Amino acid sequence: MPKVVDADQYRKELLYQSLDLFAEKGFANVTIRQIAKALGISTGALYHYFPSKESLFEQLVEELGHQEVLVLNSAMATRKTLPKRIEILGQLLLENREILVKHTAIWLDFYQHSQVETILNNRIFQRIERQSREAIAELLGIRDFRLARFISVSIDGILVDQLGKNDSTIFAEQVALLMEMLITYFDKYPEKSSLNS
Amino acid sequence: MPKVVDADQYRKELLYQSLDLFAEKGFANVTIRQIAKALGISTGALYHYFPSKESLFEQLVEELGHQEVLVLNSAMATRKTLPKRIEILGQLLLENREILVKHTAIWLDFYQHSQVETILNNRIFQRIERQSREAIAELLGIRDFRLARFISVSIDGILVDQLGKNDSTIFAEQVALLMEMLITYFDKYPEKSSLNS
Amino acid sequence: MPKVVDADQYRKELLYQSLDLFAEKGFANVTIRQIAKALGISTGALYHYFPSKESLFEQLVEELGHQEVLVLNSAMATRKTLPKRIEILGQLLLENREILVKHTAIWLDFYQHSQVETILNNRIFQRIERQSREAIAELLGIRDFRLARFISVSIDGILVDQLGKNDSTIFAEQVALLMEMLITYFDKYPEKSSLNS
Amino acid sequence: MPKVVDADQYRKELLYQSLDLFAEKGFANVTIRQIAKALGISTGALYHYFPSKESLFEQLVEELGHQEVLVLNSAMATRKTLPKRIEILGQLLLENREILVKHTAIWLDFYQHSQVETILNNRIFQRIERQSREAIAELLGIRDFRLARFISVSIDGILVDQLGKNDSTIFAEQVALLMEMLITYFDKYPEKSSLNS
DNA sequence: AATGAATGAGCGTTCATTCAT
DNA sequence: TATGAATGAACGCTCATTCAT
């Protein structure tokens, strides 16, 4: 049944094509017409693929979450030492700055937007947040989940700072500082990472 | 002329009473009618005090910014050592968690929302952001502005993580980790703070 | 009871002070606040003197009508020949151009505005219109009411043409043409005026 | 591409259907909801065809202007003598009384209303006013533009007098008087029309 | 008498969603 | 499948009018 595969594939393409619009203007400030125009289809067609604006946005959030986990996991195969792995994490951030900032914009928007529907949305959200942190934990050999959360949270802070800025110099400088902090920290508390043993 | 004083005072009260609504739902998802209802006044009266929804929100953002700077500066008088000062910063965060998380929500909304008006808004925003970071830099005797930014950005990350969560345990744990990181970092690089000399 | 006289006098002053505002912007485009400001009083005080915006406007229209009739009648005492009287009418128009144009603006506005309430308003309106035409008829010794109406209507046309123009050259030229027409007409049909017999 | 033709055609129909409402109540006193109801469509559909209430009104004014010029020009082909032509002009007025009165109501409203936007609107207005007077000048062989203006202005006066009256007897009587005046005038000053030479 | 803060119905307009084609 | 015209609830905002002071 190639038809279904195609439709799913097309739906995903539509999601990614709407990413920039949502990231730039936010869910509430983007209209269905704008999205349809950006996608080169009619509003009717858009509703054929997504039952509502909200659903489109949620599927985008979910898709971005999956992608993020994939990228993080792609760095995992390595067998390097802890400092090298920290460097790999930094590289990952630098290489994906643009897309990560967009993720962050979407993410925050989703947060605001979801406080209402609460349950379903937060389930999705929390699962992806957890997977993402587990990937970081595994990459750096961290057993203390609080530490993994801290790293994740710091990265988010750096990304949030980039919103509406797109200043890669500041980004690089902040990532470098985070890496430096982590190295210093793991130097002092080597037991925090299983890679040091 | 007690009239003017009262009106200004009242306006500020209205600002603070609208804080929760904006923090919870975001600028775009709050209606003037909701605000008026929450404030216990009519929409007409609301427009008597604020020329537009946008202006109300901007005044709220500015007011919160001023307040934040005041709180940070209140910690400044101290003559303690660096570790003590780091602890003071941590205390400040813990004590003001709730309001800081709301600030963050409003702040982010403003950021996203100000794409349009850009200039004036960003002036306000940047001034307060700068003052806030200078306060941190002065409190910790930091000369390297990138480092001050990093601390500010990490704190923001922790606050962003709290959005829609309100879990003070996680918050305390993350703040503690940040403090620990900073102490470790300043231990290794004492020249980073003038308080170490 | 001088109090009442004063109040009535004051009410009339207020009417004339609001004339320009209504003439320039039209009833619907002037707010009570603008009027109050122009009059140098509060909206509350304004409502003390007039029960509604509508009533204020109607009283202004009526007052202007009375004034117009007075001006026309002031030219009546003369015992001149018909051509001289036609010239007097022309002079009257030229001397009062500005105020007459304002009257016209108000008048038209009233027309639009009154189609709804119909009865009462039109009574007032028609009475003043009639008085005005009777004054013209008497001044020129016209017995044919249709002719008096024609002169009145032509003058109105010239005034309407001046709306938003205030070009006294065109006005003078048009008034002169009307006078010329009338003289030619009465030359050919001397029986149309009792002054020719 | 029949789609575009239909849409334009439909837009024009909507314009004419909204004519009565505007003519009766005036721009400021007609609401979008009233218009939509009169047109038998929703407000949303109305905004599909016109970007704003103002634009709808302007397009109506322009359309009426074009139509007026067309009607006037349709009388031009004639090769008759001056008296006959004056009669033709009178006929034209009598036959189109109803629509001309409505034009006048709209026109005046537009005049008053356009104080603000001034430039573009007045361009349109002045162009059509000029075309209209040129048509009269050509029809009657008038070289003196002031005279053409006078005739146009007198007609407007007669039409303004009809506002909210719709009394075709008075109208006919006033038009007859104007025609009589013109004939008398051209009798005395034959050089005023090229058709007399 | 006078003030101006307060009210709330109603305005022009937008936009997610539906549906005839 | 796809289109885009149509719908109408809801938005931000205005302003004639009221009323506590």
Side-chain angles (χ1 to χ4, degrees), chain C residues 24-25 28 105 111-112 115 133 146 149-150 153 157-158 160-161 163 170 173-174 177 180-181 185, chain D residues 24 26 28 108 111-112 115 133 146 149-150 153 157-158 161 163 170 173-174 177 180-181 185:
Chain C
E24 265 169 46
K25 300 154 92 85
Y111 236 123
Q112 294 250 13
Q115 274 152 338
R133 283 168 190 183
R146 296 171 305 161
R149 179 193 282 271
F150 177 79
V153 155
I158 295 172
V160 165
D161 182 54
L163 287 175
I170 290 180
E173 150 205 321
Q174 293 297 310
L177 268 171
E180 218 177 325
M181 287 267 166
Y185 188 78
Chain D
E24 265 168 46
L108 284 170
Y111 226 121
Q112 301 260 47
Q115 292 159 331
R133 284 170 188 184
R146 295 172 304 165
R149 179 193 284 269
F150 177 79
V153 154
I158 295 171
D161 182 54
L163 286 176
I170 290 181
E173 148 207 324
Q174 294 296 309
L177 268 172
E180 213 175 328
M181 287 266 167
Y185 188 78

Side-chain angles (χ1 to χ4, degrees), chain A residues 75-88:
Chain A
M76 215 84 90
T78 182
R79 291 199 176 282
K80 307 280 170 57
T81 61
L82 181 57
K84 286 269 186 240
R85 289 182 173 217
I86 289 175
E87 205 190 312
I88 285 171

Side-chain angles (χ1 to χ4, degrees), chain C residues 21-26 29 164, chain D residues 110-119 121-122:
Chain C
L21 221 41
F22 279 124
E24 265 169 46
K25 300 154 92 85
N29 301 315
Chain D
F110 185 68
Y111 226 121
Q112 301 260 47
H113 169 249
S114 65
Q115 292 159 331
V116 190
E117 300 93 327
T118 358
I119 305 184
N121 290 345
N122 281 352

